[in-house]
């Protein structure tokens, strides 16, 4: 379980995250939504120890993040940031193999290879597993990175804008895979996402941030409401219901 | 050719070059010339290896292929120390002080200086700090060389002769006892390095991925940079300013090996370094008959290669 209590972070005098407390529900997809600069990515980075926090406490399975040994925490929680810029000559398979580093320290055994195979299969990358990263399209690259986090085999998977720069087809494809990960392997997934319709369709729980504070949180249906969204985004958003799913029409 | 094959080829070429260097025109002088050549080869292998390893590690840690540890101003600091000793105490003191003392003083001062630089680097969080380190390093480097040239113009011309001797790397008069002590320093640094070697591949993915995969990033990077400083200092104090070589051999190693695995990259860059130095020294001794220095040749080839790199990078 991930519990965040009274966490704050200050950048250059400005409180980017201001006294935030949340509990991430296990075995579900949780979406962080909110306007630019709301502190979503910073919060995600602090949970995954990429960024230090100034005050407060973040517990992963009952233990404070900073108390975990980095190598052990890497078997519990994985993070994928939005900008991944690798200039190395790596094939897809080599990248995915890096996901096994917390277990094998770079020397892959048969079991590691099995996990790599599975992760590649899961993301449908078998045919391009020996291609180099710089030969891939944006969508393929994103899938390769997600395969790496799958190979890392952690209970918690944090993704910072996984749909950034992807077209609708690839976005849907990735969200479906995330749903499958939750259903098949009981993973807990947290994503930062801008398109609230993707949040509405594919997540179980939504945390809305604004100006570093939690504006609202709750089950998807309770957040995707005109009233609630107006408070978050300061704009009128119409909600239509299509086949039991709520679609936000914000193109005013 | 696979990776192992490429390494074997490099090893073979360097062995042949070393054998040539040791045996060419020896005329049976096994007691006089041979031990002297062995000493030279030892010095070359040690410095070449140290420079190659430390540049490779430095580039991985900074995630930049066109940096060398010399941007931290260690070369200029070495020149400043040498010039100051000669300026203040005279060349006789340098001579009298003994090679060992001079070596140790140099290594210690350079390591302390890098320690201070690193302190500045790690005071801040995030990637900006690398540029901060470079900026500070360059400013200090310039300051040191200005102070050096200031003293050089004031100095007695005879004394300047001693300074200019130190300006270029030279393997021609490496002292035996210095080899031993430099060897010990380098071996200790290597031993320490071995504990962090497994992290290098992951560190080359960048800070965020490395932390995600469980590398104790700040801890490991600090230790690695200290190893770099010690190796560079030992190599420079042994033969003189020679860090430019690192840029050349590390990039040739990348181009030649076409892999991301540091076990291969480091081995290859060390071997290429030995090939460049032994080959260069052969050319200096046999073709130019000592009328030029090894640094000049290395810097010429290195400069040409550097321009090629810049042109290539700007196209990509």
């Amino acid at each position: 379980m991930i519990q965040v209590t009274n966490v704050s972070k200050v950048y250059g005098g400005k409180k980017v995250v201001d006294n935030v407390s949340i509990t991430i529900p296990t075995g579900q997809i949780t979406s962080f939504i909110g306007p630019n600069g709301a502190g979503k990515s910073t919060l995600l980075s602090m949970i995954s120890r990429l960024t230090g926090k100034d005050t407060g406490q973040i517990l992963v399975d009952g233990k404070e993040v900073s108390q975990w040994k980095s190598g052990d925490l890497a078997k519990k929680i994985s993070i994928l940031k939005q900008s991944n810029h690798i200039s190395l000559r790596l094939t897809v398979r080599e990248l995915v193999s890096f996901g096994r580093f917390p277990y094998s320290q770079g020397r892959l055994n048969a079991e590691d290879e099995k996990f790599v195979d599975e992760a590649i299969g899961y993301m449908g990358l078998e045919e391009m597993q020996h291609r180099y990263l710089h030969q891939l399209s944006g969508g393929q690259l994103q899938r390769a990175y997600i395969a790496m986090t799958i190979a890392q085999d952690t209970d918690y998977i944090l993704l910072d804008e996984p749909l950034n720069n992807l077209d609708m087809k690839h976005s849907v494809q990735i969200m479906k895979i995330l749903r499958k990960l939750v259903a098949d392997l009981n993973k807990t997934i947290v994503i930062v996402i801008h398109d609230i319709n993707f949040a509405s369709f594919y997540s179980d729980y939504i945390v809305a941030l604004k100006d570093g504070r939690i504006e609202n949180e709750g089950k998807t249906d309770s957040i995707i409401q005109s009233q609630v969204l107006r408070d978050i985004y300061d704009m009128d958003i119409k909600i239509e219901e299509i086949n039991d799913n709520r679609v936000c029409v914000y193109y005013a | 050719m696979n990776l192992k094959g490429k390494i074997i080829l490099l090893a073979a070429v360097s062995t042949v070059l070393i054998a040539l260097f040791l045996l060419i025109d020896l005329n049976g002088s096994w007691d006089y010339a041979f031990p002297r050549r062995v000493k030279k080869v030892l010095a070359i292998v040690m410095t070449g290896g140290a420079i190659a390893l430390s540049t490779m590690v430095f580039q991985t840690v900074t995630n930049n292929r066109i940096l060398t540890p010399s941007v931290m101003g260690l070369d200029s600091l070495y020149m400043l120390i040498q010039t100051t000793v000669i300026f203040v105490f005279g060349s006789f003191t340098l001579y009298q002080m003994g090679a060992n003392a001079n070596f140790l003083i140099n290594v210690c001062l350079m390591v302390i200086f890098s320690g201070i630089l690193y302190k500045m680097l790690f005071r801040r969080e995030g990637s900006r700090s690398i540029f901060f380190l470079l900026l500070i390093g360059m400013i200090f480097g310039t300051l040191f060389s200005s102070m050096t040239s200031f003293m050089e113009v004031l100095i007695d011309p005879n004394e300047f002769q001693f300074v200019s001797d130190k300006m270029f790397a030279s393997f021609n008069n490496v002292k035996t006892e210095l080899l031993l002590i430099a060897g010990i320093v380098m071996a200790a640094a290597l031993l320490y390095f071995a504990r962090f070697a497994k992290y290098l591949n992951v560190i080359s993915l960048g800070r965020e991925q490395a932390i995600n995969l469980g590398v104790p990033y700040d801890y490991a990077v600090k230790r690695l940079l200290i190893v770099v400083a010690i190796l560079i200092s030992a190599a420079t104090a042994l033969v003189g300013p020679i860090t430019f070589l690192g840029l050349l051999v590390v990039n040739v190693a990348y181009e030649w090996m076409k892999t991301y695995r540091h076990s291969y990259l480091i081995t290859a860059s060390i071997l290429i370094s030995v090939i460049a130095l032994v080959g260069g020294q052969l050319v200096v001794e046999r073709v130019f008959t000592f009328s030029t220095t090894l640094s000049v040749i290395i810097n010429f080839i290195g400069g040409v290669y550097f321009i090629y790199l810049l042109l290539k990078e700007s196209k990509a």
Side-chain angles (χ1 to χ4, degrees):
Chain A
M1 193 152 76
I2 299 177
Q3 279 172 297
V4 179
T5 324
N6 301 330
V7 164
S8 299
K9 175 82 186 174
V10 179
Y11 271 131
K14 186 179 178 287
K15 274 202 168 175
V16 188
V17 172
D18 188 0
N19 209 16
V20 164
S21 301
I22 39 164
T23 301
I24 309 277
T26 28
Q28 297 187 9
I29 294 185
T30 302
S31 293
F32 286 4
I33 64 166
N36 290 331
K40 309 176 294 283
S41 294
T42 311
L43 185 57
L44 208 67
S45 293
M46 286 193 288
I47 294 174
S48 58
R49 73 183 168 327
L50 291 187
T51 311
K53 55 188 177 303
D54 291 336
T55 54
Q57 168 172 275
I58 296 170
L59 299 180
V60 174
D61 286 352
K63 196 170 167 187
E64 164 62 35
V65 163
S66 51
Q67 302 293 315
W68 276 91
K69 274 182 77 176
S70 194
D72 292 335
L73 195 57
K75 299 174 190 170
K76 274 275 161 216
I77 195 166
S78 55
I79 169 107
L80 184 60
K81 294 284 283 184
Q82 50 186 323
S83 60
N84 285 290
H85 198 75
I86 292 184
S87 50
L88 297 179
R89 255 186 94 85
L90 278 182
T91 65
V92 172
R93 194 180 174 83
E94 285 165 343
L95 179 74
V96 177
S97 304
F98 268 114
R100 297 306 296 170
F101 184 81
Y103 303 90
S104 62
Q105 304 291 307
R107 294 177 194 282
L108 270 64
N109 58 33
E111 199 201 337
D112 293 320
E113 297 286 356
K114 207 188 85 202
F115 271 100
V116 172
D117 282 333
E118 274 174 18
I120 288 173
Y122 218 88
M123 297 307 292
L125 294 165
E126 291 99 335
E127 272 153 39
M128 54 189 90
Q129 59 173 307
H130 297 298
R131 300 243 310 261
Y132 283 101
L133 293 187
H134 57 84
Q135 298 168 323
L136 301 183
S137 71
Q140 293 165 334
L141 195 59
Q142 189 69 339
R143 268 154 64 202
Y145 278 112
I146 294 178
M148 173 180 146
T149 40
I150 294 175
Q152 205 178 333
D153 190 33
T154 53
D155 295 342
Y156 310 102
I157 300 174
L158 315 183
L159 304 168
D160 193 353
E161 296 190 32
L163 310 183
N164 209 10
N165 295 325
L166 294 188
D167 59 25
M168 294 97 79
K169 183 185 159 202
H170 288 109
S171 300
V172 169
Q173 189 182 25
I174 281 178
M175 292 312 288
K176 278 185 174 162
I177 289 167
L178 296 184
R179 284 259 48 124
K180 217 170 115 200
L181 279 172
V182 170
D184 296 353
L185 306 171
N186 197 32
K187 303 281 186 198
T188 301
I189 296 179
V190 184
I191 54 177
V192 168
I193 198 161
H194 269 297
D195 189 329
I196 45 178
N197 283 327
F198 275 103
S200 166
F201 269 69
Y202 294 102
S203 50
D204 305 296
Y205 198 82
I206 293 183
V207 177
L209 287 111
K210 189 182 180 183
D211 300 329
R213 286 193 210 92
I214 297 209
E215 183 74 23
N216 216 324
E217 62 173 311
K219 289 213 180 301
T220 304
D221 286 353
S222 68
I223 300 294
I224 305 297
Q225 312 245 8
S226 269
Q227 288 291 338
V228 180
L229 291 177
R230 181 181 306 134
D231 291 340
I232 302 167
Y233 291 103
D234 297 323
M235 63 191 281
D236 287 314
I237 295 172
K238 255 174 73 184
I239 311 281
E240 298 284 343
E241 210 154 305
I242 298 174
N243 302 337
D244 285 345
N245 280 307
R246 294 188 186 184
V247 180
C248 310
V249 184
Y250 45 79
Y251 314 97
Chain B
M1 200 166 6
N2 66 7
L3 293 176
K4 283 211 175 89
K6 287 178 180 175
I7 293 281
I8 291 169
L9 183 68
L10 287 178
V13 172
S14 41
T15 316
V16 167
L17 275 176
I18 288 175
L20 265 180
F21 185 80
L22 287 177
L23 301 175
I24 214 168
D25 280 342
L26 192 63
N27 299 331
S29 174
W30 291 98
D31 303 329
Y32 182 78
F34 189 70
R36 272 160 186 76
R37 290 185 182 184
V38 169
K39 224 169 63 186
K40 233 186 240 183
V41 165
L42 265 179
I44 287 175
V45 170
M46 274 162 52
T47 40
I51 297 285
L53 174 67
S54 50
T55 308
M56 181 63 84
V57 171
F58 190 76
Q59 290 198 347
T60 297
V61 166
T62 53
N63 250 319
N64 192 316
R65 286 261 306 267
I66 53 171
L67 288 183
T68 79
S70 68
V71 293
M72 295 190 301
L74 288 177
D75 286 5
S76 337
L77 179 63
Y78 169 78
M79 278 313 296
L80 179 66
I81 298 168
Q82 297 302 313
T83 317
T84 310
V85 170
I86 293 172
F87 183 75
V88 178
F89 304 108
S91 58
F92 186 67
T93 315
L94 194 66
Y95 176 73
Q96 204 180 30
M97 193 160 61
N100 275 344
N102 189 12
F103 175 82
L104 284 178
I105 289 171
N106 271 310
V107 171
C108 287
L109 282 178
M110 284 156 93
V111 170
I112 288 170
F113 171 71
S114 347
I116 295 169
L117 260 189
Y118 294 160
K119 264 235 133 49
M120 292 180 176
L121 167 66
F122 287 107
R123 219 176 40 189
R124 294 186 180 194
E125 208 178 70
S127 59
R128 255 188 320 169
S129 50
I130 283 296
F131 295 103
F132 193 63
L133 167 93
L134 296 185
L135 196 61
I136 299 281
M138 278 179 187
I139 291 171
F140 274 108
T142 315
L143 175 72
F144 292 155
S145 3
S146 309
M147 283 159 70
T148 309
S149 26
F150 175 68
M151 282 187 277
E152 277 169 1
V153 291
L154 291 183
I155 221 163
D156 180 276
N158 292 320
E159 301 277 85
F160 180 73
Q161 204 61 47
F162 282 90
V163 178
S164 71
D165 269 356
K166 299 275 178 190
M167 275 198 296
F168 297 102
S170 163
F171 294 99
N172 293 330
N173 37 25
V174 176
K175 302 234 171 20
T176 318
E177 65 266 30
L178 219 54
L179 271 182
L180 183 69
I181 191 162
I184 293 170
V185 170
M186 285 179 187
L190 263 183
L191 229 69
Y192 193 58
F193 164 76
R195 289 175 46 197
F196 300 99
K198 64 178 179 190
Y199 293 137
L200 281 175
N201 286 338
V202 186
I203 287 175
S204 62
L205 292 180
R207 177 177 176 273
E208 284 166 352
Q209 289 292 358
I211 294 178
N212 171 42
L213 292 171
V215 173
Y217 186 81
D218 289 347
Y219 181 82
V221 162
K222 264 184 226 177
R223 273 30 177 211
L224 285 170
L225 284 176
I226 290 168
V227 169
V228 168
I230 293 174
L231 286 178
I232 289 288
S233 308
T236 309
L238 188 64
V239 299
I242 196 171
T243 42
F244 200 87
L245 175 75
L247 180 70
L248 182 70
V249 297
V250 165
N251 278 292
V252 173
Y254 267 111
E255 295 294 319
W256 169 248
M257 298 304 287
K258 294 201 189 306
T259 179
Y260 67 96
R261 282 186 226 170
H262 281 79
S263 48
Y264 290 109
L265 284 173
I266 288 176
T267 319
S269 60
I270 290 174
L271 289 172
I272 292 169
S273 184
V274 170
I275 291 171
L277 287 181
V278 176
Q281 190 69 24
L282 261 178
V283 171
V284 168
E285 293 186 7
R286 303 294 153 196
V287 180
F288 293 102
T289 54
F290 292 102
S291 62
T292 182
T293 64
L294 183 56
S295 309
V296 171
I297 291 179
I298 298 279
N299 281 346
F300 176 70
I301 299 172
V304 170
Y305 186 70
F306 192 71
I307 291 167
Y308 163 76
L309 263 188
L310 284 178
L311 290 176
K312 210 181 92 178
E313 293 273 317
S314 69
K315 254 186 235 161

